[in-house]
């Protein structure tokens, strides 16, 4: 049965960052994401793409894929969202952020049409949402101390390392807080011996998890590293979709799942099941994102061991309201769908 026609539209949003965002790959002050709006039968679903140059994405390449998807959404019955999800997956393999926007909007629309919050639709308990880390980007030690103070309400910090001043950054943080830390090297350490030395020192500084110590191409070296340390090592740049997971199972203790890499909620869930089947831990991470993509990820975060869902906390002009933080955890609200509302 065909209802009224489906309207799929998009808009580029310029997001302003609170601090210049520096990681091992580079710096930025502004981020351009694409918001997708899916309207049918009086219900509106929202999705978001955060294109990432690391994966060959731009706002333009994202929009090209969204435009390609418009006839699919017009032709298919949205209730066949699994089938439609696989059709979306067939679009340009490299453009996963665009697919994430489409799939988030689709699942938001489905849950809203049913009148249930997305986490309830997936049978999850909001009590199980893990504490989210707040990320401290690479900076001068003086600025780092200021950022740590600004992060006062977050009990868990994720620190970006992988440049020349790793020790300086950790010492600056330890001078002002004894909070548990996770470290993300973003492929910044270039050989296994250097990485092991760093990790041993970081362990002595109360670091509990290490993310992507070596470049994605250095899988053997990462396996070598994992055999020599007890700190869990998580894959981020090494894993995009479920297909990448099996080959990582002996080199990493877990994976960082991001909706933008996975291409949406449906693929993220397949990744969770596969990782858990292989005995791997699961982190839910994010890019610089608005409350749309963060609320979507938070909705399935009861499945995660670790959460690093702070992308919307790093921007000053979030165009939406959605989940809110309480004592370091995202509080899933009981609005239908992913629970976001555009700011007027
Ligand atoms: Mg990472």
């Amino acid at each position: 049965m065909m209802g009224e026609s489906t309207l799929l539209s998009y808009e580029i949003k310029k997001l302003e960052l609170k601090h210049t965002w520096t990681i091992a790959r580079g710096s930025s002050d502004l981020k351009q994401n694409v918001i997708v709006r899916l309207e049918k039968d009086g219900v509106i679903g929202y999705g978001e793409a955060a294109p990432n140059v690391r994966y060959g994405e731009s706002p333009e390449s994202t929009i090209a894929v969204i435009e390609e998807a418009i006839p699919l959404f017009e032709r298919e019955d949205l209730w066949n969202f699994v089938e439609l999800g696989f059709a979306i997956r067939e679009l340009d393999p490299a453009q996963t952020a665009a697919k994430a926007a489409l799939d988030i909007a689709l699942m938001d629309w489905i849950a809203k049409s049913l009148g249930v919050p997305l986490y309830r639709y997936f049978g999850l308990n909001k009590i199980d949402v893990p504490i989210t880390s707040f990320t401290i980007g690479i900076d001068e030690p003086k600025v780092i101390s200021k950022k740590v103070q600004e992060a006062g309400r977050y009990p868990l910090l994720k620190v970006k390392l992988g440049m020349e001043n790793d020790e300086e950054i950790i010492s600056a943080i330890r001078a002002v807080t004894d909070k548990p830390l996770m470290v993300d090297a973003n492929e910044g350490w270039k050989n296994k011996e250097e990485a092991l030395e760093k990790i041993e020192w970081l362990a002595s500084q109360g670091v509990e998890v290490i993310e992507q110590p070596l470049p994605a191409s250095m899988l053997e070296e990462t396996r070598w590293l994992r055999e020599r340390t007890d700190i869990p090592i998580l894959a981020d740049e090494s894993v995009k979709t479920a297909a990448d997971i099996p080959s990582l199972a002996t080199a990493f203790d877990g994976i960082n799942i991001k909706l933008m890499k996975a291409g949406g909620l449906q693929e993220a869930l397949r990744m969770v099941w596969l990782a858990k089947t292989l005995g791997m831990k699961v982190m839910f991470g994010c890019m610089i994102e608005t409350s749309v993509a963060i609320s979507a990820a938070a909705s399935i975060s009861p499945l995660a061991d670790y959460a690093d869902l702070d992308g919307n906390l790093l921007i000053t002009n979030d165009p939406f309201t959605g989940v809110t933080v309480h004592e370091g955890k995202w509080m899933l609200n009981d609005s239908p769908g992913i629970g976001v509302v555009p700011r007027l």
Side-chain angles (χ1 to χ4, degrees), residues 58-231:
S58 65
E60 295 70 31
S61 67
T62 298
I63 285 171
V65 171
I66 292 168
E67 287 191 336
E68 216 183 318
I70 290 174
L72 277 179
F73 277 79
E74 284 170 352
R75 195 167 62 228
E76 301 291 332
D77 181 346
L78 300 187
W79 288 102
N80 296 335
F81 61 86
V82 172
E83 202 176 289
L84 183 50
F86 279 113
I88 293 169
R89 214 168 70 131
E90 295 298 308
L91 300 172
D92 188 337
Q95 300 296 314
T96 51
K99 297 180 202 183
L102 297 166
D103 186 70
I104 295 167
L106 179 58
M107 296 314 299
D108 187 32
W109 186 90
I110 291 287
K112 269 184 186 158
S113 298
L114 292 168
V116 292
L118 192 66
Y119 79 89
R120 285 188 68 97
Y121 174 76
F122 286 131
L124 305 176
N125 187 344
K126 61 181 172 182
I127 298 289
D128 297 330
V129 170
I131 285 176
T132 186
S133 59
F134 184 86
T135 305
I136 308 289
I138 293 172
D139 226 312
E140 297 299 316
K142 222 163 78 183
V143 186
I144 295 272
S145 322
K146 191 172 155 254
K147 285 181 176 174
V148 170
Q149 274 147 15
E150 284 173 16
R153 55 196 289 239
Y154 302 98
L156 175 63
L157 302 178
K158 177 158 139 180
V159 187
K160 295 287 194 181
L161 296 183
M163 306 253 281
E164 302 298 297
N165 60 345
D166 291 348
E167 283 81 3
E168 220 177 35
I169 288 178
I170 294 294
S171 301
I173 292 171
R174 278 292 172 247
V176 285
T177 183
D178 58 0
K179 286 178 185 174
L181 304 178
M182 304 199 279
V183 156
D184 188 355
N186 284 110
E187 316 181 281
W189 300 328
K190 297 307 179 195
N191 68 69
K192 60 185 185 187
E193 290 82 9
E194 178 198 5
L196 183 59
E197 203 177 304
K198 297 258 191 189
I199 289 173
E200 282 175 347
W201 183 74
L202 291 169
S204 75
Q205 299 298 308
V207 170
E208 297 181 351
V209 178
I210 306 276
E211 200 177 309
Q212 199 71 41
L214 294 166
S217 58
M218 296 175 68
L219 189 60
E220 278 312 311
E221 291 85 345
T222 308
R223 190 174 287 117
W224 178 93
L225 198 56
R226 186 193 179 202
E227 284 163 5
R228 286 162 181 80
T229 177
D230 293 329
I231 296 194

Side-chain angles (χ1 to χ4, degrees), residues 245 248-250 252-255 275-282 305:
I245 300 175
L248 303 178
T250 57
F252 290 94
D253 299 284
I255 57 168
K276 286 183 185 283
T277 300
L278 294 170
M280 301 176 87
K281 299 262 187 222
V282 165
D305 301 288

